[in-house]
Amino acid sequence: MPENSGISVGGDMILHHSRVTNVVRAGGRSRRHHGVDVLIITALVEEYDAVKQVLGSSQWEEHGVGGPEPYAVNNAGDLSVALARPTAMGGRSTAPIATALAGLLQPTCLAMSGVCAGRPGATAPGDVIVASPAYQWDEGKYGKDAFQPDHQQIPLDSRWIRAVQNFDPSGLPSHGTADDEEAKVWLLERLLKAQNPRTHPARERYFPRSTWQSRLSRWEVEGLIAWHDGALALTANGRTLIERVLYNDVDGPDRLPFTVAPGPMASGAAVMAAPETWNRLEVSQRKILALDLEAATIATVAHERQVPHWLVAKGVMDHADLEKDDRFKAFAARASAEVIMALLGGLLRPAAASSPAARPAG
């Protein structure tokens, strides 16, 4: 971009120079801010650290240390990235820091990565869901007999939805193809949790075409599974094996054959551990894919602060049921950070390389 190019916003002249933005106010007063391509907000320390690791933990400059809105900046890649987090989860904690830094840094995109709960039957642990749209599911009116929702849904740019639909995560460090042993563990775990592996959304990732029958026959001969009352069931040996494997898996997976999908993400004020929640939400949004605490806040702040784009990508760590645990938490945080940076690299880099007139303006 030329050194003296600029646009006028609300009577202010914004002059762009490299990755620094000069804001010249009416009346001759001026303030100097660091301009960034992306401002990423995370809710948890683990999510914050995951983004730093994806971009290189040694490439960050700390700003505002000791103040109310500290943030770090990474200029090492093709995109300049600012990263910040509140001190607690939830929309109330996220809104102030996201609003303040969006105004200060003037990003082209306000983004968030992290973990979420995925809809059972449609998602598997480790899958990354991109909010499209984002909304607050508990907005509305509680009447005598029922809750009447009043959702203010914020859509994602249709061009960005298409990019998510076409996105292939197979080249990411956290993505891996399941081998025979991993497929066995996956099948035994489904049976242990009384889930139907045949109709599970991840079945094809663990059992490529023409491998289902041969593997089941082999594991039946090994005495791990048996045919009982018209369905597969664990034998005593199979139950002992999978319970031991899960007991020893304290660190969670390093690689998974996860998918990336756009879909409605509903934000609420509380962490949910009640499976009936999905039935309630499907009444007003039949295609819901994920639950979280902050996606609606990020989308709302971007809309209110006139940030050109917003993007929320979160990894599924559980299904908001009574079996919630943290086994997939670290993986979901890391995978979502990898996905969001890969997506933004493709979506924002063409804009950054285009002419000043073609770039989106805040």
Side-chain angles (χ1 to χ4, degrees):
M1 182 174 292
E3 179 175 341
N4 294 324
S5 65
I7 57 173
S8 178
V9 180
D12 301 334
M13 178 60 70
I14 301 179
L15 303 175
H16 300 280
H17 178 75
S18 183
R19 297 189 189 277
V20 177
T21 300
N22 291 317
V23 181
V24 183
R25 302 288 182 184
R29 298 177 57 192
S30 66
R31 293 187 299 171
R32 191 175 184 84
H33 297 318
H34 294 280
V36 296
D37 295 311
V38 186
L39 168 59
I40 299 178
I41 306 292
T42 67
L44 301 172
V45 174
E46 298 94 324
E47 299 166 343
Y48 183 92
D49 291 341
V51 175
K52 277 197 166 184
Q53 291 169 6
V54 167
L55 291 178
S57 57
S58 63
Q59 304 294 326
W60 295 87
E61 298 178 0
E62 303 295 331
H63 297 267
V65 178
E69 294 98 18
Y71 63 95
V73 175
N74 186 310
N75 285 318
D78 294 327
L79 298 177
S80 58
V81 179
L83 176 65
R85 65 173 181 85
T87 57
M89 299 186 300
R92 290 180 59 194
S93 298
T94 300
I97 191 168
T99 302
L101 292 181
L104 175 69
L105 301 176
Q106 297 291 301
T108 300
C109 179
L110 177 61
M112 184 175 224
S113 64
V115 302
C116 66
R119 177 182 173 182
T123 65
D127 288 349
V128 176
I129 308 303
V130 176
S132 172
Y135 66 98
Q136 193 79 16
W137 72 265
D138 50 5
E139 285 182 333
K141 177 181 179 181
Y142 281 95
K144 180 180 179 181
D145 300 319
F147 173 70
Q148 298 174 316
D150 186 17
H151 298 156
Q152 309 299 313
Q153 299 193 359
I154 302 179
L156 187 65
D157 188 316
S158 61
R159 295 165 296 180
W160 288 39
I161 295 175
R162 187 179 299 276
V164 177
Q165 292 171 337
N166 295 335
F167 183 76
D168 180 6
S170 61
L172 299 178
S174 292
H175 191 278
T177 301
D179 59 22
D180 189 85
E181 186 65 23
E182 290 167 331
K184 178 199 293 184
V185 170
W186 179 87
L187 178 81
L188 298 182
E189 185 178 359
R190 304 285 73 74
L191 297 177
L192 179 68
K193 295 183 175 181
Q195 299 171 355
N196 186 346
R198 193 174 185 276
T199 59
H200 195 277
R203 191 254 304 168
E204 293 182 357
R205 308 176 216 165
Y206 289 87
F207 290 84
R209 190 173 182 84
S210 302
T211 62
W212 174 260
Q213 185 174 351
S214 61
R215 286 177 171 179
L216 296 189
S217 298
R218 185 168 69 253
W219 299 333
E220 191 171 2
V221 171
E222 293 175 5
L224 301 176
I225 57 176
W227 190 255
H228 180 71
D229 290 338
L232 286 176
L234 286 174
T235 64
N237 288 340
R239 179 176 293 273
T240 299
L241 173 62
I242 189 59
E243 288 178 342
R244 183 66 178 269
V245 168
L246 296 180
Y247 181 84
N248 291 335
D249 186 18
V250 295
D251 297 323
D254 291 322
R255 302 176 70 195
L256 285 174
F258 67 89
T259 63
V260 179
M265 184 176 293
S267 301
V271 175
M272 306 303 294
E276 65 273 11
T277 300
W278 299 103
N279 294 331
R280 292 171 53 193
L281 298 184
E282 288 171 3
V283 172
S284 57
Q285 178 52 267
R286 68 182 181 88
K287 294 184 179 181
I288 184 173
L289 284 187
L291 283 172
D292 87 323
L293 303 182
E294 304 92 4
T297 298
I298 293 297
T300 300
V301 170
H303 176 73
E304 294 296 329
R305 300 297 300 183
Q306 298 183 24
V307 178
H309 298 287
W310 65 272
L311 186 68
V312 175
K314 295 200 171 187
V316 175
M317 65 169 286
D318 58 53
H319 293 303
D321 53 23
L322 300 178
E323 298 181 354
K324 286 175 66 72
D325 63 36
D326 288 346
R327 178 179 161 210
F328 291 93
K329 187 176 184 180
F331 178 88
R334 186 173 65 255
S336 65
E338 292 175 0
V339 167
I340 205 164
M341 288 314 306
L343 284 170
L344 289 171
L347 290 166
L348 293 184
R349 191 177 298 126
S354 64
S355 65
R359 291 195 63 182

